[in-house]
Amino acid sequence: MWIVRHGNRHDFVYPEWFNYAEKKYDPPLSEDGIIQAKAVAKRLEKEPIKHIFCSPFLRAIETAYPIAIALNLPIKIESGLGEWHNNDWMETKPLTQYPDNLEKKYLDVINLDYQPQIYPPYPETLEEIYQRTAQTTKILTNYHNPLIVGHSVAIQGMIKALLENEYQPITIPLCSLSKLRYIDDKWQWELKADTSHLSHLPPPIIAH
């Protein structure tokens, strides 16, 4: 199982975007986030990935898009991979651009026949997102060589579910790449939140 966190967010670079956005909790990638996404796509273009599953949030879809093009695979949108519905971060249930306001180029690579298996509640505690991502992970492990594109806390929940008692929290950087393999009846790290594919890029722009 391959796991990618989305690239840098537009509102991380331009915080004022939040003040006028129609869907405040669904920012696109920033300019450097798009470059990061292309870099991770380049890294993955020859890997034997068979499925792409992605959060419905725009920043995740925009990260998955160049990967889907590179691998010639459709994107399956899975709500169970979505951002943590934390009411400290979001005053209301988050609305996404998908599917109503999504650009045609993204819709063209999305498998619209795939039906999400899990839907997050709002609001959602940390324990609840871990439960939600554990349920989602159990479903996605039935697919051969899947790639997951999601968010930091959701990815932590997935890794926690896979590693079980051996889980230790780690930092999940923007556009980092993880790989876990099922060996000897258990999941094991093969690549841990790696960012070497971004090493030639400037550091991500984060507004302060």
Side-chain angles (χ1 to χ4, degrees), residues 54-57 59 78-86 89-90 93-94 117-140 148-158 160-161:
C54 181
S55 156
F57 284 76
R59 55 193 179 275
E78 176 52 65
S79 300
L81 300 172
E83 178 66 278
W84 181 14
H85 287 32
N86 181 343
W89 297 355
M90 307 171 183
K93 183 175 181 177
Q117 303 297 299
I118 305 289
Y119 289 91
Y122 177 87
E124 186 177 45
T125 66
L126 184 61
E127 181 179 353
E128 285 171 334
I129 188 177
Y130 283 165
Q131 291 172 351
R132 182 242 294 180
T133 49
Q135 292 172 340
T136 307
T137 302
K138 185 176 181 180
I139 293 167
L140 299 189
I148 313 301
V149 182
H151 311 262
S152 179
V153 180
I155 290 171
Q156 292 278 8
M158 294 190 67
K160 185 175 187 293

Side-chain angles (χ1 to χ4, degrees), residues 2-7 29 33-49 52 60-73 75 147 149 175-177 194 196-198 200-201:
W2 299 85
I3 305 175
V4 173
R5 184 184 174 191
H6 63 78
L29 293 178
I34 293 170
I35 294 170
Q36 292 169 339
K38 291 177 179 178
V40 77
K42 181 69 176 176
R43 165 66 180 80
L44 291 169
E45 64 182 354
K46 295 183 180 178
E47 298 295 347
I49 293 163
I52 300 173
I61 293 172
E62 289 187 336
T63 302
Y65 176 73
I67 303 172
I69 297 299
L71 295 173
N72 194 28
L73 288 173
I75 298 169
L147 168 73
V149 182
C175 243
S176 61
L177 175 63
D194 180 60
S196 60
H197 51 283
L198 306 176
H200 65 291
L201 302 179

Side-chain angles (χ1 to χ4, degrees), residues 9-198:
R9 294 166 49 155
H10 183 81
D11 59 334
F12 282 1
V13 181
Y14 305 104
E16 65 276 10
W17 175 88
F18 185 85
N19 297 328
Y20 58 81
E22 179 185 354
K23 297 186 176 181
K24 299 178 182 296
Y25 305 118
D26 194 24
L29 293 178
S30 62
E31 292 92 338
D32 59 329
I34 293 170
I35 294 170
Q36 292 169 339
K38 291 177 179 178
V40 77
K42 181 69 176 176
R43 165 66 180 80
L44 291 169
E45 64 182 354
K46 295 183 180 178
E47 298 295 347
I49 293 163
K50 302 300 182 186
H51 303 272
I52 300 173
F53 293 92
C54 181
S55 156
F57 284 76
L58 182 57
R59 55 193 179 275
I61 293 172
E62 289 187 336
T63 302
Y65 176 73
I67 303 172
I69 297 299
L71 295 173
N72 194 28
L73 288 173
I75 298 169
K76 300 179 180 74
I77 300 296
E78 176 52 65
S79 300
L81 300 172
E83 178 66 278
W84 181 14
H85 287 32
N86 181 343
N87 60 356
D88 288 334
W89 297 355
M90 307 171 183
E91 294 181 354
T92 60
K93 183 175 181 177
L95 300 175
T96 66
Q97 307 293 332
Y98 174 80
D100 297 337
N101 295 345
L102 202 61
E103 288 183 45
K104 185 177 184 299
K105 71 173 183 178
Y106 300 123
L107 287 173
D108 284 347
V109 298
I110 290 174
N111 179 351
L112 296 174
D113 292 329
Y114 176 82
Q115 295 298 311
Q117 303 297 299
I118 305 289
Y119 289 91
Y122 177 87
E124 186 177 45
T125 66
L126 184 61
E127 181 179 353
E128 285 171 334
I129 188 177
Y130 283 165
Q131 291 172 351
R132 182 242 294 180
T133 49
Q135 292 172 340
T136 307
T137 302
K138 185 176 181 180
I139 293 167
L140 299 189
T141 53
N142 292 318
Y143 292 83
H144 182 59
N145 283 9
L147 168 73
I148 313 301
V149 182
H151 311 262
S152 179
V153 180
I155 290 171
Q156 292 278 8
M158 294 190 67
I159 293 169
K160 185 175 187 293
L162 292 173
L163 297 183
E164 298 180 334
N165 295 333
E166 296 182 19
Y167 168 74
Q168 294 291 333
I170 65 167
T171 300
I172 310 291
L174 293 164
C175 243
S176 61
L177 175 63
S178 295
K179 182 183 180 184
L180 295 98
R181 187 185 294 273
Y182 195 68
I183 303 173
D184 298 330
D185 296 325
K186 66 178 182 179
W187 287 91
Q188 300 179 38
W189 283 113
E190 195 160 300
L191 198 61
K192 187 182 292 189
D194 180 60
T195 56
S196 60
H197 51 283
L198 306 176

